[in-house]
Amino acid sequence: MAEAREPVTTLDTPIRLEYLFSAGIAQSKNLRGLAEGRFVGQRCPVCSKVYVPSRGSCPVDGVPTDEEVALGNTGTVTTFCVVNVPFAGQSIEIPYIVAQVLLDGADISFMGLIQEIPADQVRMGLRVEAVWVEPDQLGPSMASVKHFRPTGEPDAEYASYKDYT
Amino acid sequence: MPTPPSARGGRRPVAVVSFAQAQNQRREAHRNEVETLMPVFADVLGKVGITKDDVDFICSGSTDYLVGGPFSFVSALDAIGVWPPRRESHVEMDAAWALYEAWVVLQEDGVDAALVYGFGKSSLGDLSRIVALQLDPYVMAPLWPDPVALAALQARALLDAGKASEEDFAAVAARCRRSALDNPMAQVAYDRTVDELMTEDYVVAPLRRHALPPITDGAAAIVLAAGDKAFEWAERPAWITGIDHRIETHSPGGRDLTLSPSTAMAGRLAGVQDGRVDVAELHAPFAHQELILAQALDLGEGVSVNPSGGALAANALMAGGLIRIGEAASRIMDGRADRAVAHATSGPLLQQNLVAVLEGGR
């Protein structure tokens, strides 16, 4: 007689894979720039848009973005969110602000932490500047940018960043 | 206007009009996928004097498991530039199946040209572990059977059945690597005798080093065109007169590994035996698999098998099957062959197989 058994309903099959990451030629230039405390973008030869970081091509025109463009430290908050949710490993006191920052001269925004301003005062159009980590802490990653803080300039006109929201 | 040769299936004649590939190499250390693909696109479009705006449909084959990141096929589109938005699709398979999808879409009126591409940077992770994950996730993948060990089981089954000898494996490898000397895009090419190859140590018995494919970073692209457009763009289009793909059980233990009935069926339905075959490009990553495929397709004497060197010369995952179609088509387009067979495989131990017949017509 067959022995009555509990059916197997779940099993664990641990999977771990390790990878090299190849940033590519264009993004490597951006990463090396970050290690020197500066933003490096690339311009599309067809539409003249400046990407930071560039993945090597203009996603609109599909051509190499070979022209390097040195970008400054300042930019504009195009949109943002307030983080109120605590989670494991959180290193920043809540509430805090994660924003999309459009660097001056760039045509694409990227994500940045906004500090040195109360969370409820952050707004679209806020002018900000990058605060870099100490020189001996700089490395080829966005961790080189400690955060962005207000420059104190008047807010940017909506028209100046409406295409990037 | 000349007329295309008659085809099996399909309401419109479709042809390969251009083929390009990146240099196959063990490790592309500098370029990312987008940077690898851009010159391939420039090459494949430039050969027929068109731009991306001349194609109505784009289809790619790749797998995120090679990159270790999600949606890598979406970022790969940056290499072609998809603005204004255009019709596009992707298969998580070798790009030969992307070509199949494009062939289907080209049967529609109003879709006259397609760009098909595949890419695989096999060097980024531990390939033997990555490929193991295509096995069933409950009983096989957790054992992490590596692809060389699985292929060795298949080779052993061939030996045990008396269907081939280890010298036969070496003869395939010797011929493919010798042919690869004429292929500037090949990664592994040499001129060695069977006796020399037989002195190599086993990697996993009964497979010696020569019977294994190289690990390859690569990419390839093909332009397909329908009807008059094919004649407009190419002097001698490589017409797809038959194409079919079939699949067998996922479990290698559930089939006779010495046979490939799915290849045989796809070959029959694609019309391989409808005429003389000049050239066959067979996607056989392991040397013994070429013997199984040649038998399944009933390729007789006088067929030039894998003149490019095949997957033993370069084995970019997700592009290797498409490259077989491209290599076969190139030989039609430049007049070296009138009728060619191209085969692509996907999945463990020849699980899924696609066969296309390409003809130049008159």
Side-chain angles (χ1 to χ4, degrees):
Chain A
M1 204 175 79
E3 194 184 339
R5 290 194 191 176
E6 286 295 313
V8 175
T9 55
T10 60
L11 76 159
D12 290 332
T13 59
I15 290 172
R16 181 180 173 79
L17 296 173
E18 292 190 12
Y19 290 90
L20 297 168
F21 171 68
S22 56
I25 295 166
Q27 205 170 340
S28 293
K29 289 176 181 165
N30 175 263
L31 292 170
R32 288 195 193 99
L34 293 173
E36 295 166 6
R38 60 195 181 90
F39 295 109
V40 177
Q42 292 202 330
R43 192 189 316 273
C44 171
V46 177
C47 68
S48 297
K49 281 195 160 57
V50 173
Y51 299 100
V52 55
S54 171
R55 294 187 69 246
S57 80
C58 173
V60 172
D61 298 300
V63 294
T65 50
D66 290 334
E67 187 195 337
E68 234 175 273
V69 181
L71 293 160
N73 229 16
T74 53
T76 301
V77 170
T78 60
T79 186
F80 65 95
C81 74
V82 186
V83 178
N84 283 297
V85 184
F87 55 87
Q90 199 163 44
S91 56
I92 308 155
E93 201 180 321
I94 56 170
Y96 64 90
I97 303 290
V98 174
Q100 286 296 124
V101 174
L102 179 68
L103 287 182
D104 297 341
D107 289 288
I108 193 161
S109 61
F110 56 79
M111 203 181 280
L113 180 68
I114 310 294
Q115 299 269 274
E116 302 186 39
I117 177 173
D120 61 2
Q121 288 177 28
V122 174
R123 57 209 179 263
M124 289 168 70
L126 181 70
R127 295 285 296 155
V128 291
E129 64 185 356
V131 178
W132 298 82
V133 297
E134 294 303 317
D136 61 338
Q137 307 282 304
L138 286 169
S141 96
M142 276 301 282
S144 290
V145 181
K146 214 162 136 193
H147 57 258
F148 287 85
R149 69 178 173 210
T151 61
E153 297 165 89
D155 285 3
E157 289 291 332
Y158 178 63
S160 71
Y161 62 88
K162 70 175 170 50
D163 293 336
Y164 302 97
T165 55
Chain B
M1 191 68 93
T3 48
S6 63
R8 285 184 170 226
R11 48 185 286 277
R12 299 173 84 197
V14 171
V16 174
V17 294
S18 187
F19 165 60
Q21 61 180 315
Q23 183 68 51
N24 291 288
Q25 52 187 315
R26 176 64 183 83
R27 171 162 293 159
E28 167 53 72
H30 302 292
R31 292 178 176 83
N32 61 24
E33 287 79 357
V34 166
E35 290 166 339
T36 302
L37 281 167
M38 273 189 293
V40 177
F41 291 152
D43 192 6
V44 80
L45 297 172
K47 276 176 178 169
V48 282
I50 62 172
T51 72
K52 60 174 178 138
D53 297 323
D54 293 311
V55 298
D56 309 301
F57 181 63
I58 299 171
C59 199
S60 64
S62 69
T63 176
D64 286 350
Y65 282 82
L66 288 181
V67 187
F71 294 99
S72 57
F73 65 95
V74 176
S75 38
L77 283 170
D78 287 0
I80 186 78
V82 282
W83 187 266
R86 61 195 61 214
R87 193 162 163 189
E88 179 271 335
S89 185
H90 171 260
V91 295
E92 189 87 3
M93 300 180 78
D94 188 286
W97 276 264
L99 180 135
Y100 185 87
E101 180 174 340
W103 177 83
V104 171
V105 171
L106 281 163
Q107 301 305 320
E108 293 175 25
D109 293 325
V111 182
D112 295 329
L115 173 68
V116 179
Y117 64 96
F119 61 97
K121 280 193 83 168
S122 308
S123 68
L124 297 176
D126 180 345
L127 200 56
S128 59
R129 285 174 69 83
I130 292 168
V131 174
L133 291 179
Q134 71 182 322
L135 297 158
D136 94 76
Y138 306 112
V139 297
M140 283 207 72
L143 302 173
W144 298 99
D146 69 86
V148 179
L150 282 179
L153 286 174
Q154 186 176 37
R156 177 63 70 197
L158 274 175
L159 298 178
D160 289 351
K163 292 181 175 179
S165 66
E166 292 181 33
E167 285 78 8
D168 292 336
F169 305 163
V172 169
R175 172 175 42 74
C176 284
R177 266 61 181 260
R178 194 174 302 123
S179 298
L181 290 167
D182 295 328
N183 177 0
M185 305 310 257
Q187 180 187 349
V188 181
Y190 51 63
D191 187 5
R192 290 180 204 158
T193 64
V194 170
D195 288 344
E196 283 174 88
L197 294 181
M198 288 299 288
T199 64
E200 290 178 342
D201 292 332
Y202 289 123
V203 178
V204 179
L207 298 179
R208 295 180 168 84
R209 174 64 59 195
H210 61 256
L212 273 55
I215 294 174
T216 306
D217 286 354
I222 276 178
V223 175
L224 292 180
D228 293 345
K229 193 141 263 184
F231 283 121
E232 194 184 312
W233 288 349
E235 212 167 293
R236 188 173 145 93
W239 297 98
I240 300 170
T241 57
I243 186 165
D244 196 89
H245 65 99
R246 299 284 148 172
I247 187 165
E248 294 173 53
T249 174
H250 194 192
S251 169
R255 48 193 165 100
D256 181 345
L257 296 177
T258 68
L259 299 171
S260 185
S262 55
T263 301
M265 185 181 284
R268 212 159 44 240
L269 292 161
V272 170
Q273 295 301 331
D274 289 355
R276 184 175 56 92
V277 177
D278 300 321
V279 167
E281 278 285 335
L282 307 180
H283 191 194
F286 292 88
H288 66 271
Q289 293 175 335
E290 194 196 280
L291 302 171
I292 297 170
L293 295 168
Q295 193 254 339
L297 293 168
D298 198 15
L299 297 178
E301 298 292 309
V303 180
S304 168
V305 177
N306 284 335
S308 71
L312 290 173
N315 188 40
L317 291 190
M318 318 316 281
L322 186 74
I323 290 172
R324 303 282 72 74
I325 298 173
E327 291 285 2
S330 299
R331 284 162 175 79
I332 300 285
M333 290 189 284
D334 67 13
R336 276 179 290 173
D338 288 324
R339 196 161 183 276
V341 168
H343 159 270
T345 196
S346 193
L349 300 179
L350 305 177
Q351 185 205 0
Q352 308 167 36
N353 294 283
L354 179 148
V355 178
V357 176
L358 300 144
E359 296 185 42
R362 286 174 180 280

